[in-house]
Amino acid sequence: MSLPPEKVSELKQIIHNHLLKSGIRGKIREVLAENVRDDQGQSHQSLSEADFLSALQNRGIIDDVMKDLHFYQEAPMDAKNGSPPKHAPDFVNKEITQPKKCKKHNIDPSRCYLFLQVLGGKAFLEHLQEPEPLPGQVCSTFTLYIHFRNQRFHSKPVPCACEPNLEEGFLLEIHRDGKGESNKMADATALLSVSDPVHLVLIKMDTTSETTLVSSYFLDWRTVLSSPSGKTCFAIELMGVGSESKVPAGVLTVSLELYPPLTETLSTDIISTQQSLERKRTAEKERLFLVYAKQWWREFLEIRPSHQSKMVKIFAQDENGVNRPVCSYVHVLRVGRLLETPRQAARFVSLLAHEKAPVVGGGGGGQEQWCTLMAFLCRGKGDCEDHATLLCSLLLGFGLDAYVCVGTKAKGGTHTWVVTRGTDGSITFWESLTAHRYLHQAIDPEAPPLTPQPKPSSPYRTVGCVFNHQTFLANCQPSDAVELCVFDFQNQSCWKAMSEDALKSVCAPGSVSSLPPQPSLCAPSLDPAASSNQLELEMRYLVSEHRKDLELATVWDDHLSYLLSSALSAYELERCTGVSCGNEEFQDAVRRAVPDGHTFKGFPRHFLHRSARRAFATCLRSPFCQEIVSCRGDHVRLAVRARVFVYPENVCAVWLMFACKYRSVL
């Protein structure tokens, strides 16, 4: 049976997508490593292709690849005899062509749904010269993330190209806002009042698993309300982010369809009038707030001329270059059972990588970019402002009196962190990039010279303002030094507050249509045990290959490897709670496992990714790890343990520990 070229290409792409999704390639590498090791142990003949395929079949890996591939015959009727035409069967991945959310049993006939279908991309000119990847080849990919009214979805990764094959469907449920009316069918007028946009975030991931925010777009879906068929199709132009927010990044073709179709549609004039009224109302509220903010700033400068140089940040630009009040970046965020304690929330935020907004060219400071929460979570990394606003939102959700601080660190660089005030008057600083906590005690500059003063424990030098979702306070104390600062926010001689009503008019949820909707966190989908086992197998293979290059044999001590788990768990627990525990039991177990006259060496490392090769290359740059991995001596036994701790959004804390024991020779 022969296939036309387009069907061959389609089959290759389906198999490639399936391999990426199910982790089959890791299993193939594992089988290859074992067979090569067995083959070299028995004879030095090269491993044949037939033997390798037989090993894959015995493991059931070939069956795993084929089980999701289905055949079907297209059913157009032949013009002559009314029977289906005879041709080669097509290969179809049902998971791709039929989005899971479109299954009939998932649709409640009493609810209203919006089916958003992405039909492909074009004009991504940055990738014009990229060649089409071969099946199985690692390449850069695009992933599209969707957020609508607390519902989040994402597409499958597709290879980056000038015309990426972004074809995916998403079923979004539309809720009524009125109390007790969530189960009632919404009519066209009620749907017109739902002004929440669909937030589209396009992320690029390169071959080293580094992510880049390509575009962040807010789609007003209500144009479909004027379509007699309940369905419309159009193209949207995605713009770049940051300094490229005025430059097109590419075009997506999207289709919108309502389920069930409306019995009565609205005219385009009514929809455009509603959108115009919302824009005017938002513009007027923002204009009034800007007038108030200017007057408030003039009053602040009149207190003391030196206030001109203080770090008082009222507005900040998001990834689309839109100026928004900083208070709008914070909201009360409750995450159910995904995070159990405030300290665990701080640990989660610290695991999101720190990276300043990229700037084309040099010239000093980076581009200011306070990302929306959706863009920050999808990208998985951001600047200190993104971390601080997320941590403050989570701490507010846990019931703490939390604020974001804007100031400088000891080296003079602009920085943001979080402060919480206890009911007993205690002040605690939270560093969102590291999850470290510092108890603040102010120095009294008017105390007698011999009076003992507290020593500064935090790395922060000055603080200009603090804010949360409903409060903005500027520091009007004689000195903005953190060590002298009194965090009594009710004291008007120390802190100048903005009007809460003015802030609420532009920062409260639903106050203006320009505010981006705030998503909730997603539960992790990674299996910690499976991820840990996979990473450990890959690390063992890399260590064995490294020692083979040094002409050293590798003998693994499985018992010693198992004992390292308790140490890695203790390290992560200490990062979460700040309390060290379990080290005594680990040391006692190691003493029992290492015979008299033998030496034990261990080397732990922490990572924010699960790439074995990247991690191993980093570890080898340490002389301590190099000494263990390249250990020579009598009766050398090696051990390695990997532990992947999974948090919401599939954020991972990865711990690796290399160890060896050997007989000491005088």
Side-chain angles (χ1 to χ4, degrees), residues 27-28 62 74 83 135 139 214 307 318 340 369 433 475 489 517 578 591 593 601 627 630:
K27 298 178 183 178
I28 293 176
I62 293 180
E74 290 186 349
S83 60
C139 62
V214 177
H307 286 177
D318 64 12
E340 298 289 351
Q369 182 176 300
L433 299 179
N475 184 2
F489 296 153
R591 291 190 188 99
K601 292 182 179 179
E627 185 179 348
S630 307

Side-chain angles (χ1 to χ4, degrees), residues 292-300 314 472 474 496-498:
Y292 167 77
K294 287 182 176 180
Q295 177 61 32
W296 179 91
W297 177 247
R298 283 193 293 267
E299 294 173 357
F300 181 66
I314 304 175
F472 186 92
K496 179 173 174 58
M498 272 193 173

Side-chain angles (χ1 to χ4, degrees), residues 336-394:
R337 300 186 185 277
L338 297 182
L339 297 169
E340 298 289 351
T341 66
R343 297 193 186 190
Q344 192 180 32
R347 174 61 173 160
F348 159 69
V349 174
S350 70
L351 292 173
L352 293 161
H354 175 226
E355 181 179 275
K356 291 185 176 295
V359 179
V360 178
Q367 172 79 18
E368 179 187 61
Q369 182 176 300
W370 292 38
C371 282
T372 58
L373 180 56
M374 180 67 180
F376 179 38
L377 294 175
C378 294
R379 186 182 174 213
K381 58 185 177 183
D383 211 340
C384 59
E385 296 87 1
D386 304 322
H387 288 78
T389 52
L390 174 56
L391 177 57
C392 184
S393 299
L394 290 169

